[in-house]
Amino acid sequence: MAVAPALARLEFVDLWLGHNYAEYTDLPGAYAQIHTLAGDLEDEAQRVREQCSAIYADTGDSGFAIDLSEDVLCRVTVIHDLRTMPVYVLRKVTSEIRELHKVGLPKLMLEHVLEPDTRGLILIVGEQGTGKTTTAASILAARLQKHGGRALAVEDPPEIKLDGVHGSGRCVQVPVSRRHGSYVDQIRNGMRTGTSLLMIGEIRAADTAREAVQASVNGMTVVTTIHGNDPIDGLRRLITWAQSSSEGMANASELLAAGLAAVIHQRIERLQLAAGVRPRALFRCLALSAKDGNESAIRTKIKEGNFVSLAQDIDQQLKRQQWQ
């Protein structure tokens, strides 16, 4: 059932639903103009406000997802104003599942992530807004379509609709929440089910990093994202996260060296064309494959933290891809 079809069609970046107001911005940025909803939109906003209130009262989570319509999913963040009244801030989820060949991955990496024998961690690195989640979801869906099986997608909150059938495979999408369990809880539960494919929405805490590294050496294919400026920065951040805190993984570099399958760094280049600005995804990748005679040497470099030399391997694979 479409709770708010007109709101779903409204072009907004952020929609703020306070106890006595409903406002939105239609452009990104801190100083974007604020618009007030009116008419039927205000009525729909009230229904959404009530739905958010019910979810928040039931779960106590300050972040969750709701459907405005069958095709439009929103992430909701709950804050409280000076009178401790809840304010619900909605942002449309713009990530999407794309046919993997349309994502733009280099041919060698595209083949590698779809190989049935590819096991371990596929780490997607990039800044915010570069499409990391789209790439991760598209890899998961493509592997299910090609090889079947079952996958578990653990996100906080879900940013893309993955739950359901993909070809002959199925994905079960699990939200992270106080009620349903933390990242660690959900990942460990998933590993007990025997699923062969796991997607972790984003690594941004030590416990999630440890679980991702641990899962990568347990025979699973793990797809996840992390913030980073380049492939090496992403690996360094992952190791630092996994080693941090009192429960730190002292052997994180050794385990990652054994369990890493690929690093994919992506950024967006905006081309100025006669028809307007066109975004294009650019990639720098590192594939660890038995077909590559340097695989053992690359894993040794990760284990020893020899990232300067590792950057040369990334450049060599890039040149090989350009040559082909």
Side-chain angles (χ1 to χ4, degrees):
M1 177 181 178
V3 176
L7 275 179
R9 292 191 298 269
L10 179 68
E11 296 292 335
F12 67 83
V13 174
D14 290 305
L15 173 62
W16 290 59
L17 302 179
H19 70 284
N20 61 355
Y21 63 89
E23 301 170 344
Y24 71 97
T25 56
D26 54 6
L27 293 173
Y31 300 104
Q33 183 178 356
I34 296 174
H35 305 278
T36 301
L37 295 178
D40 292 342
L41 290 178
E42 190 174 18
D43 294 336
E44 288 193 0
Q46 177 58 28
R47 291 201 296 271
V48 174
R49 186 186 289 110
E50 292 170 356
Q51 184 178 14
C52 289
S53 296
I55 294 173
Y56 183 56
D58 183 42
T59 66
D61 293 325
S62 60
F64 50 85
I66 66 167
D67 292 292
L68 294 185
S69 68
E70 292 183 358
D71 301 320
V72 178
L73 182 71
C74 283
R75 296 180 62 173
V76 182
T77 301
V78 185
I79 59 176
H80 290 82
D81 62 19
L82 188 61
R83 300 175 181 81
T84 70
M85 297 294 291
V87 179
Y88 305 106
V89 184
L90 283 71
R91 174 164 291 187
K92 284 184 180 180
V93 172
T94 56
S95 300
E96 60 178 345
I97 302 174
R98 303 184 65 188
E99 294 180 45
L100 193 55
H101 71 276
K102 294 182 179 180
V103 170
L105 288 174
K107 183 174 182 291
L108 290 177
M109 181 56 70
L110 179 63
E111 294 173 350
H112 179 57
V113 298
L114 287 179
E115 282 285 343
D117 295 332
T118 295
R119 295 287 186 271
L121 182 65
I122 300 173
L123 183 66
I124 302 168
V125 185
E127 303 286 351
Q128 290 184 351
T130 55
K132 300 188 300 295
T133 301
T134 292
T135 299
S138 299
I139 290 174
L140 180 140
R143 286 190 64 89
L144 285 177
Q145 289 167 356
K146 186 170 184 178
H147 306 300
R150 290 187 174 86
L152 185 71
V154 183
E155 299 174 86
D156 177 25
E159 293 190 20
I160 188 169
K161 289 186 176 182
L162 279 163
D163 195 82
V165 174
H166 302 268
S168 60
R170 176 179 291 278
C171 177
V172 177
Q173 197 166 15
V174 182
V176 173
S177 66
R178 295 179 186 178
R179 182 177 185 179
H180 295 98
S182 66
Y183 262 119
V184 173
D185 295 332
Q186 299 292 13
I187 293 170
R188 290 180 180 176
N189 285 340
M191 292 177 66
R192 296 188 192 104
T193 66
T195 182
S196 60
L197 183 56
L198 171 67
M199 175 176 157
I200 303 171
E202 183 179 10
I203 294 176
R204 52 176 180 258
D207 56 355
T208 316
R210 289 194 299 271
E211 294 300 322
V213 172
Q214 187 64 54
S216 73
V217 294
N218 287 338
M220 305 179 72
T221 302
V222 183
V223 186
T224 189
T225 71
I226 195 169
H227 185 84
N229 300 318
D230 54 52
I232 301 301
D233 186 37
L235 289 174
R236 280 180 169 148
R237 287 176 188 241
L238 179 59
I239 292 171
T240 299
W241 276 120
Q243 290 176 338
S244 64
S245 83
S246 59
E247 299 180 8
M249 182 181 280
N251 60 342
S253 295
E254 182 179 352
L255 290 177
L256 182 61
L260 187 67
V263 185
I264 300 170
H265 174 263
Q266 65 183 79
R267 65 183 179 88
I268 299 297
E269 179 184 59
R270 288 174 171 80
L271 304 176
Q272 185 65 53
L273 305 176
V277 177
R278 176 189 173 189
R280 179 178 66 173
L282 298 178
F283 297 90
R284 289 190 72 213
C285 305
L286 179 66
L288 287 84
S289 169
K291 297 178 181 179
D292 190 331
N294 293 330
E295 181 195 8
S296 178
I298 291 173
R299 295 193 185 279
T300 299
K301 292 174 185 178
I302 296 172
K303 179 180 177 180
E304 296 176 350
N306 187 359
F307 292 115
V308 174
S309 182
L310 193 64
Q312 297 173 1
D313 293 292
I314 295 172
D315 290 337
Q316 288 175 1
Q317 288 195 9
L318 178 62
K319 291 177 182 178
R320 189 189 317 160
Q321 178 63 49
Q322 290 173 339
W323 177 258
Q324 293 182 352

